[in-house]
Amino acid sequence: MNNKVKWVLLTTVFLILAGGIIISVLSESSEETISSIKRIKATETFLQKDKGYIVYFWQEGCSYCQQLEKSVLAYNKAGEVPLYIVDMGEKKNAASWYDWENHHKKWDKVIGRLENGQEIINDDIDLAELINDKKVSWSVQEGNDNKLIAVHQTPFENKAPQSAAELEITGTPTMIKIENGRLSSYRIGVEESAALLGK
């Protein structure tokens, strides 16, 4: 075989290998991520033109959202209705958060005080009743002036909003399904949201 033929063969093999590498890199870089799913504002939650769709309330750095990511990406590729993301970390969506500040002002209560490192519970407080409460999750924290505060951790959000103005997102992930412009399903948390996606 002469040098010219060898050179053509080597060049052809090199181009085929280089093409394969380029195609492989491009297919990896075009892999879908959460960032590639269409974003909408919280105020647009009930305004999409699709007959049915899911709105996923998400935020960067949410460990629960990360647990759900594979299911969300799989659904976005092959789900029965479109999926939209509302980034709850963006300032424009802040009005859709549940008002935890007012919640704590209304429901938290002083149950005692710390004196010399000892917890002293007020006589009128039944600590066992708080701890065993099935309807409300309580935690005890130290507040100002060595006060012991029972912190009410269970929200009373609207789980049946019929407009964006009625949204009260308590945390992420939260998903809602809209059909014909109306709420048909409201899910909070990893397992409930995964169930809505059929996973």
Side-chain angles (χ1 to χ4, degrees), residues 75-93:
Y75 183 87
N76 193 51
K77 277 186 180 177
E80 60 186 44
V81 297
L83 177 75
Y84 298 98
I85 288 184
V86 172
D87 184 347
M88 291 304 291
E90 291 186 1
K91 194 173 184 178
K92 63 187 174 190
N93 298 318

Side-chain angles (χ1 to χ4, degrees), residues 46-61:
F46 291 86
L47 302 177
Q48 301 310 302
K49 293 186 175 158
D50 310 283
K51 185 176 178 181
Y53 56 93
I54 293 173
V55 180
Y56 175 28
F57 297 87
W58 168 94
Q59 63 182 326
E60 186 79 36

Side-chain angles (χ1 to χ4, degrees), residues 85-143:
I85 288 184
V86 172
D87 184 347
M88 291 304 291
E90 291 186 1
K91 194 173 184 178
K92 63 187 174 190
N93 298 318
S96 295
W97 279 112
Y98 181 72
D99 190 347
W100 280 105
E101 186 176 340
N102 278 333
H103 174 93
H104 289 301
K105 282 180 185 174
K106 182 174 182 178
W107 298 104
D108 294 0
K109 52 187 167 186
V110 176
I111 61 168
R113 65 194 180 284
L114 277 177
E115 278 185 19
N116 302 319
Q118 295 281 347
E119 292 183 355
I120 300 174
I121 305 299
N122 296 345
D123 291 337
D124 62 334
I125 298 295
D126 183 352
L127 198 54
E129 185 179 322
L130 282 177
I131 292 169
N132 297 317
D133 192 336
K134 302 286 186 212
K135 294 180 181 176
V136 176
S137 176
W138 294 94
S139 67
V140 177
Q141 298 176 6
E142 184 180 347

